[in-house]
Amino acid sequence: MTMYSHGSNFDKEQFQRELRQVLKSQLAVIEKNATTKDWYLALGRVLSQYTSMNLLDTEAFIDGEKTRKINYLSLEFLIGRLTGNNLINLGLYEKIEEALQEMDLALSDILEEERDPALGNGGLGRLAACFMDSLASQALPAVGYGLHYEYGLFKQSFAAGRQVESPDTWREALGYPWERRRPELTQTVGFWGHVEQYSDDRGKLRKRWVPGLKVEGIAWDLPVVGYQNEITLPLRLWECHTGDPFDLARFNEGDFVGAQYPVLEASNITKVLYPNDNHEQGKTLRLMQQYFHCACSVGDILRRHLALGRELKTLPKLETIQLNDTHPVIAIPELMRLLIDDHDLSWDEAWDICTRTFAYTNHTLLPEALETWSEGLIAHLLPRHMEIIFDINHELMVKVQQQWPGDIGKMSKLSIIQEGDHRQVRMANLAVVTSYAVNGVAALHSDLVKRDLFPEFDKLYPRKLTNVTNGVTPRRWIKACNPALSSIITEKLGDGWIRELSEIEGLKAFADDKEFQQAFMTVKKANKQKLADWVEEHHGITLNTDAIFDVQIKRLHEYKRQHLNLLHILSLYHRLLNEPEFDIHPRVFIFAAKAAPGYAIAKDIIYAINRVAETVNNDQRLNDKLKVIFLPDYRVSLAELIIPAADISEQISTAGKEASGTGNMKLAMNGALTIGTMDGANVEIREEVGDDNIFIFGLKVDEVKALQARGYDSFIYYDSDPQLKACLNMLQDDTFTPERPGELISVARNLLDYGDPYLVLADFSAYCDAQCAVDKSYRDQSSWAKKAILNTALTSKFSSDRSIQDYANNIWRLSSVR
Ligand code: CRA
């Protein structure tokens, strides 16, 4: 299709010429003065010329096909660095490495210059990025639609152990080399204003929305390069531009400042990513972001459809809109509005199209993350959309009445409008009612969606609720981040596993092979050394690579229970100092996590871990048995460094709270053993690797529920377990904060006086037992190697290629364009 697709027709000299040319002509830098950063920018620009061509070719190619296309709508795409990954997927990595070497340039150094585009918070955003990789790699026609935030997720640093946030200018001064501005795709988006009725040419009474302000959505395309298959899909990110700075009417009335106000507000729409994971704040600007995203994306989908001369009624046959959680659910009334008001379809025709076009993925059961918007806010910002939501709800209520005549309870539970002093719109209900398919993200989670969250909807719409277990792309999460592991796999099995991860099961045959065990552990050791060197260089802490590297990397959240991990560390510390007989294999506890800036207790937990780390790491009595390190600024590129080096993967959420988890999958694939609860995808990881190769502990979902129903009292555990008591007391006295005794008390209070909402204390003793089993197990290196190999061999189910196949077969009914 294009010149540089498989790397087969790569012309080294031409590439070197282009690189020098771009350096000089576009970056205005003379070669002898060029910094590594300059070379990175030049390289990115040269490569993105190739992918831009591929992108346009793919677009034209797909347009020509009469196959259905997927539109993945997500407020977050946590793509991570693109250069290294794209080189691999283009099949150019080694060739470019060699070409650069000839110019005395090291590709690995150049790749380190790229700043992570952090356009997401955590799992949900990273999942969207993995899905795009799998869609492209399997040649499935798709567009990712997101927002072009000026500032991505904040940068995190620590000042005396406390989290400090600073803005993330991911594009830097000279722009991000991989993106392309597509001014020809510009969309116009309205806000505020009113709805008016009018008679059209044929005397038909119709409605239209007259917005009070209009803004423009400018498209930026990032290339999603399929794995060596010539396909490049667009990740289309919308940036908000406000036009006219003045409301002329108000300006002429003398209200100089007030006249600019709506524009000032609107000009912030794509400034920053909201830094909350699994938590909604209900801010007006956030709703504006959501609507802006949806209006641009739905507008673009319709534009494409109509430009090909297609009829609106064929929309569901040719386009699916997959809603990544409820964040883009306002797309539903937007499409209804466009079909009815702009395209003159009847309500029934429009509804029929919508209910066959949208599908919705639920990612959480946490009540604080289930979005509701005040009716007043929507009515003010999007008056026509509020009317449509009421109309949809009216139809829903009729259906509920038919199913459960006279049951007011059912009506009020299922209603899209939550009644009360301040009426709220429940976005999840709107999504479920409209979508033709609704899925949870792991088997257990999807069961709970049916059982606990939407049991009535499951009755009302049989077979609508289903499961698609999450996955992660093996290109980034094995091939790119763990080249040493990749080569020993490929040595044994060939490289087919990169495209079809189930082939990696072939490693099972080598799990008992001493030589392969040795090779596997040598790779692990080398990855640990690489991480240790990096930590030494950047943080001045020396890590012993013979120790167990025990890793908990994810957002900081009470339900993820980093403080349970901390309590176990305290128990080890306490026992090592107080029990002469007690001994452990050396362990390095590695944390990395950002806390939402407004989440006080999460920040206190970070602080507590940092203070404990300081004391423990400097306590000579421990003989290097225990090290604790909290790496700042967790991000995709840091995960790529840590995951290959992990021996233990901490997945210790309260059962029923972690919808899936995806870090658990990445770590297991890279040969880390999971210590975890029966939660999210841990349940399925256990099913795959078997009980011998995972450390499961703690209360199960039903036990959690039963305990809470009985009335949970955390003091019972405190009073009856001297070990636990000692740990909690250390948090309350001056052990870790001699200058300010009691400074870490909020963490202990949360677990005692505030009732321990995530049952940390209830699981403490089982967790310590499981950790003891880990310690024992690690002492037998050959058996450990076997377990680690089996984790790599038996987790192919968690490839996002499999997830995407499940979506394609069970939800999208899609066939590959190849
Ligand atoms: N926070 C879940 O909590 C899940 C991802 C992706 C989350 C994770 O367990 O792996 O989604 N939920 O499915 C979420 O964002 C709004 O809900 C997450 O990333």
Side-chain angles (χ1 to χ4, degrees), residues 40 72 74-86 89 114-134 144-149 152-153 168 170-171 176-180 220-225 233-237 273 473 475-477 480 635-640 666:
Y40 149 69
Y72 200 82
S74 178
L75 270 280
E76 304 186 14
F77 286 90
L78 188 44
I79 52 178
R81 290 172 174 167
L82 290 189
T83 312
N85 210 254
N86 286 352
N89 284 12
E114 180 171 352
R115 180 110 154 228
D116 290 39
L119 309 181
N121 275 286
L124 170 138
R126 182 54 231 175
L127 184 77
C130 283
F131 281 2
M132 288 308 297
D133 178 274
S134 285
Y145 283 108
L147 286 182
H148 190 266
Y149 299 106
L153 185 60
D168 166 50
W170 64 279
R171 299 177 69 219
Y176 188 58
W178 286 102
E179 61 183 7
R180 285 282 179 277
W220 291 87
D221 278 0
L222 274 89
V224 182
V225 181
L233 298 176
L235 172 55
R236 189 156 291 163
L237 304 180
L273 165 76
T473 169
R475 268 77 62 188
R476 183 177 290 266
W477 295 110
R635 58 195 182 280
V636 173
S637 60
L638 191 53
E640 287 164 357
K666 296 164 196 165

Side-chain angles (χ1 to χ4, degrees), residues 1-2 4-7 54 58 61 88-91 133-140 224-233 475 499 816-818:
M1 193 183 290
T2 39
Y4 294 101
S5 41
H6 271 104
N54 279 355
T58 307
F61 178 52
I88 289 175
N89 284 12
L90 286 166
D133 178 274
S134 285
L135 284 160
S137 294
Q138 295 179 75
L140 292 169
V224 182
V225 181
Y227 182 67
Q228 302 186 3
N229 68 354
E230 305 177 26
I231 295 285
T232 296
L233 298 176
R475 268 77 62 188
R499 223 182 275 279
S816 157
V817 296
R818 285 293 154 85

Side-chain angles (χ1 to χ4, degrees), residues 62-67 304-312 314 318-319:
I62 288 171
D63 279 351
E65 302 279 308
K66 290 215 166 44
T67 159
R304 279 190 350 240
H305 187 77
L306 297 172
L308 291 167
R310 293 169 172 171
E311 284 186 278
L312 282 172
T314 64
L318 294 163
E319 305 285 342

Side-chain angles (χ1 to χ4, degrees), residues 122-125 127 277-280 325 327 362-364 369 441 470 559-560 657-662:
L124 170 138
L127 184 77
D277 184 80
N278 252 314
H279 188 89
E280 286 304 322
D325 213 80
H327 316 149
N362 172 284
H363 293 268
T364 184
V441 289
N470 282 345
Y559 85 79
K560 295 179 188 283
K657 301 295 179 194
E658 188 72 274
S660 164
T662 43

Side-chain angles (χ1 to χ4, degrees), residues 25-214:
S25 70
Q26 294 186 26
L27 301 171
V29 176
I30 314 173
E31 203 174 319
K32 73 172 177 33
N33 296 337
T35 60
T36 317
K37 182 69 148 220
D38 296 326
W39 285 116
Y40 149 69
L41 285 170
L43 176 63
R45 288 188 188 203
V46 170
L47 293 174
S48 73
Q49 289 173 12
Y50 309 166
T51 55
S52 285
M53 292 191 291
N54 279 355
L55 189 126
L56 294 177
D57 288 349
T58 307
E59 228 165 41
F61 178 52
I62 288 171
D63 279 351
E65 302 279 308
K66 290 215 166 44
T67 159
R68 182 185 273 176
K69 200 160 177 175
I70 301 314
N71 301 279
Y72 200 82
L73 265 60
S74 178
L75 270 280
E76 304 186 14
F77 286 90
L78 188 44
I79 52 178
R81 290 172 174 167
L82 290 189
T83 312
N85 210 254
N86 286 352
L87 278 174
I88 289 175
N89 284 12
L90 286 166
L92 289 177
Y93 195 98
E94 284 82 14
K95 295 195 167 77
I96 298 263
E97 190 172 36
E98 192 191 309
L100 291 171
Q101 222 155 35
E102 280 181 11
M103 299 166 71
D104 269 337
L105 297 165
L107 177 58
S108 55
D109 292 345
I110 290 178
L111 296 182
E112 280 303 308
E113 291 295 326
E114 180 171 352
R115 180 110 154 228
D116 290 39
L119 309 181
N121 275 286
L124 170 138
R126 182 54 231 175
L127 184 77
C130 283
F131 281 2
M132 288 308 297
D133 178 274
S134 285
L135 284 160
S137 294
Q138 295 179 75
L140 292 169
V143 183
Y145 283 108
L147 286 182
H148 190 266
Y149 299 106
E150 188 175 333
Y151 299 98
L153 185 60
F154 64 87
K155 276 205 292 185
Q156 179 200 53
S157 56
F158 297 137
R162 290 200 188 276
Q163 170 172 302
V164 176
E165 301 100 25
S166 54
D168 166 50
T169 48
W170 64 279
R171 299 177 69 219
E172 303 178 279
L174 290 170
Y176 188 58
W178 286 102
E179 61 183 7
R180 285 282 179 277
R181 206 164 186 257
R182 304 282 303 265
E184 77 279 15
L185 305 180
T186 299
Q187 292 283 334
T188 303
V189 180
F191 289 102
W192 298 293
H194 63 276
V195 179
E196 63 183 26
Q197 283 211 337
Y198 69 103
S199 302
D200 70 9
D201 302 345
R202 288 164 298 138
K204 183 177 159 197
L205 205 56
R206 293 177 54 186
K207 285 189 169 177
R208 69 180 158 216
W209 173 30
V210 186
L213 177 84
K214 288 184 180 166

